C-alpha cells in the first residue's frame, strides 16, 4: 500500500498563476483533508471531504477550491496564487470517526513569488 | 472555540534523559486526544492516542494519559534517543476536527 500520495513535491509559482495539488489514498477511507503548515502555526485545515461528493470549508479556505473526484482522490486548486499562500501543504485521509487517526501524505512545498 | 497549548520549543536534551512535553486543551465535550510526530522532511504520523478519560496511550516508549480534570495530555518518555529528534504535535480531535498545537521541536544530543 502506498498510503497517501501527493504531487508535486515542490512547486514555485509567480503571483497570479494557478495550479492544482493532487492527492490520492489507497486505504478506502471516506474522509480526506487538506492542511497547510506554516512556521510556528501548526497545521490548519483548509478544506475537508467527509465522503465522495461532499466538501466543506475548514479554518482557512479563502483562496482555495477543492474537488473530491472519487473516493480515492481529493485535489486542491489555487486559482490565483498569492505570496501569502507560500506554505507546505499536507493531504490526509481517515475513517472520519474522530476516534481514529488521520494518515498524512509527504507534503507539497509551495513557494509563491 | 476549541484550542490547544503545548510547550514551546525547541527542547534540547541529552540522550537517555527524561522527556516531558506539556499539552493542555480547551474543548466542548470530551475529544479524543492524539500525539503526532513529524520527522524531518516527512508528513505527520500518529505516535499515540487516547479516546476517553484516564486512558493511557503508549508507543515506542512514549506515554500520555488523558486527564479530564486538568484537560491535559502530557507526553513523556523515560529515556530519549537521538532518533527521537522530531517535531511533536498535540492534537485534540472532536467530531473529526483536529486542532493542532503549534508543535514542539525536540533535539536529542548524543
Amino acid at each position: 500500500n502506498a498510503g497517501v500520495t501527493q504531487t508535486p513535491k515542490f512547486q514555485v509559482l509567480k503571483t497570479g498563476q494557478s495550479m492544482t495539488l493532487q492527492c490520492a489514498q489507497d486505504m478506502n477511507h471516506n474522509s480526506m483533508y487538506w492542511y497547510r503548515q506554516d512556521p510556528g502555526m501548526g497545521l490548519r485545515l483548509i478544506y475537508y471531504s467527509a465522503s465522495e461528493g461532499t466538501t466543506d470549508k475548514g479554518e482557512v479556505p479563502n483562496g482555495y477550491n477543492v474537488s473530491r473526484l472519487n473516493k480515492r482522490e481529493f485535489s486542491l486548486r489555487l486559482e490565483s496564487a498569492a505570496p501569502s499562500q507560500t506554505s507546505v501543504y499536507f493531504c490526509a485521509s481517515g475513517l472520519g470517526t474522530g476516534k481514529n487517526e488521520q494518515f498524512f501524505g509527504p507534503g507539497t512545498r509551495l513557494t509563491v513569488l | 472555540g476549541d484550542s490547544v497549548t503545548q510547550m514551546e520549543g525547541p527542547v534540547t536534551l541529552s540522550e537517555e534523559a527524561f522527556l516531558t512535553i506539556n499539552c493542555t486543551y480547551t474543548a466542548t465535550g470530551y475529544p479524543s486526544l492524539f500525539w503526532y510526530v513529524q520527522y524531518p522532511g516527512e508528513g505527520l504520523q500518529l505516535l499515540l492516542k487516547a479516546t476517553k478519560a484516564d486512558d493511557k496511550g503508549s508507543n515506542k516508549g512514549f506515554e500520555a494519559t488523558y486527564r479530564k480534570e486538568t484537560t491535559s495530555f502530557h507526553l513523556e518518555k523515560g529515556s530519549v534517543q537521538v532518533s527521537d529528534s522530531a517535531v511533536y504535535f498535540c492534537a485534540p480531535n472532536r467530531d473529526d476536527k483536529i486542532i493542532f498545537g503549534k508543535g514542539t521541536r525536540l533535539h536529542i544530543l548524543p
Side-chain angles (χ1 to χ4, degrees), chain B residues 39-55:
Chain B
Y39 298 103
E42 298 184 10
L44 279 69
Q45 56 185 272
L46 177 70
L47 180 60
L48 53 82
K49 71 176 185 182
T51 59
K52 61 182 188 296
D54 301 324
D55 267 2

Side-chain angles (χ1 to χ4, degrees), chain A residues 12-81:
Chain A
V12 178
L13 294 177
K14 295 181 180 178
T15 297
Q17 288 185 316
S18 62
M19 79 161 294
T20 299
L21 282 64
Q22 306 287 352
C23 173
Q25 53 93 7
D26 61 1
M27 294 174 281
N28 201 36
H29 287 155
N30 288 324
S31 295
M32 297 186 73
Y33 317 83
W34 276 105
Y35 294 92
R36 60 178 288 172
Q37 182 178 31
D38 301 296
M41 298 289 290
L43 276 75
R44 293 180 292 170
L45 183 65
I46 305 171
Y47 271 93
Y48 66 99
S49 170
S51 62
E52 185 179 348
T54 68
T55 61
D56 286 288
K57 296 178 180 179
E59 183 185 354
V60 288
N62 291 346
Y64 304 96
N65 287 301
V66 290
S67 295
R68 184 74 181 268
L69 304 170
N70 47 55
K71 192 171 187 178
R72 290 187 63 247
E73 298 173 289
F74 188 40
S75 62
L76 177 72
R77 183 159 178 85
L78 287 70
E79 290 290 353
S80 179

Side-chain angles (χ1 to χ4, degrees), chain B residues 8-30:
Chain B
E8 295 274 339
V11 173
T12 302
L13 296 172
S14 297
E15 203 165 26
E16 299 183 4
F18 183 84
L19 169 70
T20 300
I21 300 178
N22 291 334
C23 171
T24 57
Y25 65 90
T26 58
T28 305
Y30 302 107

